[in-house]
Amino acid sequence: MTISKDKTKELVKEYGKTEDDTGSTESQISIFSERISNLTDHLKINKKDKSAQRGLMLLVSKRSRLLKYLKKTRLEDYKKLVEKLGIRK
């Protein structure tokens, strides 16, 4: 499930360094998190949608790699982002 351009711009504005900063690690993680939540809701209704399950697993792994990178390079930014998104405990 994709998200609208307006929602993407809103996420980038909130988590990115500038309004057009779609490439920063924080904004990418926030966009992936939104897409993951949308796919999770979709899969609660459509349990047998295997292509959506595969897409969800790919998104989760991409987000995980980005989180590992952010944790390795900028620990404080990582902690703030995880706290804000409520990803890990």
Side-chain angles (χ1 to χ4, degrees):
M1 300 281 119
T2 59
I3 57 177
S4 67
K5 288 184 180 182
D6 295 334
K7 184 65 177 175
T8 304
K9 286 183 181 180
E10 181 182 311
L11 289 169
V12 169
K13 187 182 284 187
E14 185 176 347
Y15 294 100
K17 294 178 177 108
T18 63
E19 290 184 15
D20 300 328
D21 187 20
T22 58
S24 72
T25 308
E26 293 90 346
S27 60
Q28 286 184 30
I29 291 171
S30 66
I31 291 169
F32 285 154
S33 296
E34 181 68 26
R35 289 180 62 196
I36 287 170
S37 67
N38 288 346
L39 272 175
T40 304
D41 293 340
H42 170 76
L43 285 171
K44 286 179 183 176
I45 299 167
N46 306 298
K47 296 184 189 316
K48 294 186 178 184
D49 190 352
K50 300 298 181 188
S51 63
Q53 287 177 357
R54 182 176 187 275
L56 177 65
M57 295 310 296
L58 291 174
L59 281 174
V60 168
S61 66
K62 281 183 183 180
R63 183 179 73 177
S64 174
R65 284 186 300 231
L66 284 172
L67 283 167
K68 284 180 188 176
Y69 167 76
L70 189 61
K71 186 176 183 178
K72 185 172 63 175
T73 56
R74 297 174 295 172
L75 187 60
E76 288 303 317
D77 293 339
Y78 167 80
K79 288 179 181 177
K80 288 178 188 175
L81 184 67
V82 168
E83 177 84 23
K84 216 173 194 183
L85 291 174
I87 296 175
R88 298 182 178 179
K89 295 177 175 124

